[in-house]
Amino acid sequence: MSIRLTEARAPLTHELEVLDEFGERRRIAIPAERSLTVFVDKRELVTLMTLGVAPELLVLGYLRNQRLVQRLDDIDSITVDWDVQTAAVKTHRGIADLAAKTAKRIVTTGCGQGTVFGDLMSEIDSIVLPEASDPAGRLSQATLYRLLNAMRVQESTYKSAGSVHGCALFRQDEMLCFIEDVGRHNAIDTIAGWMWLRGVGGRDKTFYTTGRLTSEMVIKSAQMEVPIIVSRSGSTQMGFELAQRLGMCLFGRASNRHFICYCGFERFDAEPEPARQSREGSGS
Amino acid sequence: MSIRLTEARAPLTHELEVLDEFGERRRIAIPAERSLTVFVDKRELVTLMTLGVAPELLVLGYLRNQRLVQRLDDIDSITVDWDVQTAAVKTHRGIADLAAKTAKRIVTTGCGQGTVFGDLMSEIDSIVLPEASDPAGRLSQATLYRLLNAMRVQESTYKSAGSVHGCALFRQDEMLCFIEDVGRHNAIDTIAGWMWLRGVGGRDKTFYTTGRLTSEMVIKSAQMEVPIIVSRSGSTQMGFELAQRLGMCLFGRASNRHFICYCGFERFDAEPEPARQSREGSGS
């Protein structure tokens, strides 16, 4: 039984004329932002604000990460129509207790999607990530640098129009999937949809995000069993504490050959940069 | 009839030991992120993830911006207790139709709070901002620069710990209120609460935010009748289109003496920088 998905596409950027500090008018591009109202078996569920890169995968990942659908083959089809800005999800047997499942609302910290229906916190303690001794759940400093370089050279809407977050899924330094969205939670949900559709597991993977490592980002990563997260930005206290509790490895402020590792040192094969060591050796 | 508010406080940063690219362990600070579950007349409404700067004003502004409470004196008290991470709102007469008002859910783009209960979009077309010819609803380039300088020198959790968004309310170049939060929507809601409590109107004010100018930020600003928004970041297409429709003035990429004005040029008294003009004069 396979799921039927449309491949709805829409422009990702919009050109407009702006005025700058020199009094000059010039044309720039900004990212699209559009609403997508999700209906499940004709019942309105939620409206997502999105860039619109892969809306079917976004909806799929949203249903997955909100734990509204348990099995992929419960879904018959997802039909996105940008003309009316809707995503129609058809299930084979309906979703039991949809109202109850969506009753609790947590308004979260982060950029983007920003809402996790309740009970996720109680769920995460049941998550068991791969052992730190398992090579698949580790990262070396050289691999981290190659991963960061892959992000640096990646073509993106961010480069052309700014104001979007990027997320990527890596197996060591191999980029498997790269998604941008106006909200980073949409980006991570879209990757979750991509993984679910292809049966790709998270236990030997690393997440990269341009967004901050807030509680919700860490929870979503853990839900997908991805033990390592790399961010260009920093961590909040709750993001850090959750990651620590789950035995995840968090890197922040990561770009070029710079980073800090917040926790999960035991998953990290450090190969320290020589520069400061030699300065230390000289007693400075 | 005056509203009673606690003044609950909690640490805004957390110190931890990290590992850097040189293999060195060092101590840094990261911002707190804590959950605050809001109860209205003992009924659970929502859980906000917040830094915790001014939780009572956050709750007040949230109730205001979600249009759950119409008048300040409908509220008897807001009692925040960090030990149990709750905010108890007591109203004088209850909130009519609370269930109906919170039934529609829009999961928005931006950093932060990220949820606007429905019907806001239908509301914004009724908003009438001050005329562009009204001096109170205008900004000059020199005033914009002074505003940006005030933000630059402002002490902040961002400077000590990163990973938070800042919002400020200005009357021309006078900073009236500065709030940081892990989510920029919480920051703007807290400012809304501050304004509401003090009876401060928005029509002669300017909003500054470090966050992006997404649809939700523009809507929230318009709800508070603030006609000008300045952001360190950029705009999305929907943020731009809404601002244009409402006759607002949007500045993005604003720091030091740089900015772009996306729309609302008629509210802006440009005093163009000479540098490029003289280069143009020389024909380059």
Side-chain angles (χ1 to χ4, degrees):
Chain A
M1 193 152 32
S2 75
I3 176 170
R4 289 175 296 129
L5 304 177
T6 51
E7 293 191 359
R9 296 297 173 260
L12 301 183
T13 61
H14 173 77
E15 276 212 356
L16 75 163
E17 187 179 87
V18 299
L19 178 71
D20 69 15
E21 66 268 26
F22 301 104
E24 291 178 13
R25 304 270 183 138
R26 54 190 170 93
R27 291 191 75 77
I28 65 164
I30 57 176
E33 181 191 6
R34 41 178 66 89
S35 68
L36 183 67
T37 301
V38 182
F39 293 82
V40 176
D41 297 324
K42 300 187 178 172
R43 179 185 167 141
E44 184 176 336
L45 176 66
V46 73
T47 297
L48 305 170
M49 304 300 290
T50 177
L51 179 64
V53 171
E56 299 83 3
L57 296 179
L58 167 60
V59 172
L60 190 61
Y62 181 84
L63 296 173
R64 164 73 159 176
N65 277 347
Q66 302 293 343
R67 296 296 189 248
L68 297 173
V69 175
Q70 302 305 315
R71 297 168 352 138
L72 191 60
D73 62 11
D74 290 341
I75 300 174
D76 175 69
S77 61
I78 300 176
T79 305
V80 172
D81 183 346
W82 281 128
D83 287 342
V84 288
Q85 302 194 302
T86 58
V89 180
K90 190 162 172 274
T91 70
H92 290 292
R93 286 167 297 271
I95 297 179
D97 306 322
L98 186 64
K101 280 175 180 159
T102 60
K104 260 202 171 176
R105 179 169 23 223
I106 301 179
V107 178
T108 50
T109 300
C111 283
Q113 184 172 310
T115 294
V116 179
F117 297 124
D119 296 328
L120 289 188
M121 290 295 288
S122 57
E123 185 188 291
I124 62 162
D125 280 324
S126 67
I127 294 170
V128 180
L129 296 173
E131 295 287 326
S133 58
D134 180 345
R138 305 179 61 82
L139 206 65
S140 74
Q141 192 155 340
T143 305
L144 174 61
Y145 286 169
R146 286 194 298 271
L147 179 158
L148 292 174
N149 193 56
M151 291 307 308
R152 190 180 60 79
V153 301
Q154 174 70 35
E155 281 308 308
S156 66
T157 299
Y158 180 79
K159 283 183 184 169
S160 63
S163 295
V164 293
H165 277 294
C167 268
L169 185 72
F170 283 86
R171 185 193 294 114
Q172 295 293 316
D173 57 2
E174 178 194 4
M175 189 192 290
L176 303 175
C177 182
F178 169 71
I179 296 287
E180 291 174 294
D181 209 313
V182 279
R184 65 184 169 181
H185 293 293
N186 286 344
I188 203 169
D189 279 350
T190 306
I191 289 180
W194 181 91
M195 292 170 72
W196 205 25
L197 192 66
R198 282 166 185 72
V200 172
R203 298 174 64 83
D204 59 343
K205 305 298 189 305
T206 298
F207 252 128
Y208 174 89
T209 173
T210 59
R212 286 171 296 154
L213 299 164
T214 61
S215 54
E216 190 174 13
M217 292 303 287
V218 171
I219 290 170
K220 289 201 171 183
S221 186
Q223 283 183 307
M224 297 151 75
E225 301 191 317
V226 175
I228 303 169
I229 316 180
V230 178
S231 168
R232 200 177 61 189
S233 303
S235 179
T236 65
Q237 184 179 354
M238 197 181 287
F240 162 70
E241 287 173 352
L242 281 170
Q244 197 174 41
R245 186 161 114 197
L246 289 161
M248 293 171 72
C249 181
L250 283 195
F251 296 95
R253 308 281 170 214
S255 69
N256 297 313
R257 298 172 77 90
H258 301 289
F259 63 87
I260 51 181
C261 182
Y262 291 100
C263 60
F265 302 156
E266 67 282 3
R267 292 191 185 277
F268 179 51
D269 295 309
E271 295 149 356
E273 291 281 337
R276 196 178 292 185
Q277 288 190 324
S278 68
R279 283 206 307 278
E280 284 182 349
S282 69
S284 67
Chain B
M1 193 151 35
S2 74
I3 176 172
R4 288 174 297 129
L5 304 176
T6 51
E7 292 191 359
R9 296 298 173 260
L12 301 184
T13 60
H14 172 78
E15 275 213 355
L16 75 163
E17 187 179 88
V18 299
L19 178 71
D20 69 14
E21 66 267 26
F22 302 104
E24 291 177 14
R25 305 270 182 134
R26 54 190 170 93
R27 291 191 75 76
I28 65 165
I30 57 177
E33 180 192 6
R34 42 177 65 90
S35 69
L36 181 67
T37 300
V38 182
F39 292 82
V40 176
D41 296 325
K42 299 187 178 171
R43 178 185 166 141
E44 184 175 335
L45 176 66
V46 72
T47 298
L48 304 169
M49 305 300 290
T50 177
L51 180 63
V53 171
E56 297 85 3
L57 297 179
L58 167 61
V59 171
L60 189 62
Y62 182 83
L63 295 173
R64 163 72 159 176
N65 277 346
Q66 303 292 344
R67 297 295 189 248
L68 296 174
V69 175
Q70 303 305 316
R71 297 170 349 138
L72 192 60
D73 62 11
D74 290 342
I75 300 174
D76 175 70
S77 61
I78 301 177
T79 306
V80 172
D81 183 345
W82 281 127
D83 287 342
V84 288
Q85 301 193 304
T86 59
V89 179
K90 190 162 172 272
T91 69
H92 290 293
R93 285 168 297 271
I95 297 178
D97 306 322
L98 185 64
K101 280 176 180 159
T102 60
K104 260 203 168 173
R105 179 170 21 223
I106 300 178
V107 179
T108 49
T109 301
C111 283
Q113 186 172 309
T115 293
V116 180
F117 296 124
D119 297 325
L120 291 189
M121 290 295 287
S122 57
E123 184 189 290
I124 63 161
D125 280 324
S126 67
I127 293 171
V128 179
L129 296 173
E131 295 288 326
S133 58
D134 181 344
R138 303 179 63 82
L139 206 64
S140 74
Q141 193 154 341
T143 305
L144 174 61
Y145 287 169
R146 286 194 298 271
L147 180 159
L148 293 174
N149 193 56
M151 291 306 308
R152 189 179 61 78
V153 301
Q154 173 69 35
E155 282 308 307
S156 65
T157 299
Y158 180 79
K159 284 183 182 168
S160 62
S163 293
V164 292
H165 277 295
C167 268
L169 185 71
F170 283 85
R171 184 191 294 115
Q172 296 293 316
D173 57 1
E174 178 194 3
M175 188 192 292
L176 303 175
C177 182
F178 169 71
I179 296 286
E180 292 174 293
D181 209 313
V182 279
R184 64 183 168 181
H185 294 293
N186 286 346
I188 202 170
D189 279 350
T190 306
I191 289 180
W194 182 91
M195 292 170 72
W196 205 24
L197 191 66
R198 281 165 187 72
V200 172
R203 297 172 66 83
D204 58 344
K205 305 299 189 304
T206 298
F207 252 128
Y208 174 89
T209 172
T210 58
R212 285 171 296 154
L213 299 164
T214 61
S215 55
E216 190 175 13
M217 292 303 287
V218 172
I219 290 171
K220 288 199 172 185
S221 186
Q223 284 183 307
M224 296 151 76
E225 301 190 317
V226 175
I228 304 169
I229 318 181
V230 178
S231 167
R232 200 178 61 191
S233 303
S235 179
T236 66
Q237 185 179 355
M238 196 181 287
F240 162 70
E241 287 173 353
L242 282 170
Q244 198 174 39
R245 185 161 117 196
L246 290 162
M248 293 170 72
C249 181
L250 283 194
F251 296 95
R253 308 281 170 214
S255 67
N256 298 314
R257 298 172 77 90
H258 300 290
F259 64 87
I260 51 181
C261 181
Y262 292 100
C263 61
F265 303 155
E266 67 282 3
R267 292 191 185 278
F268 179 51
D269 296 309
E271 295 149 357
E273 290 281 337
R276 196 179 292 186
Q277 287 188 325
S278 67
R279 281 205 309 278
E280 283 180 352
S282 69
S284 66

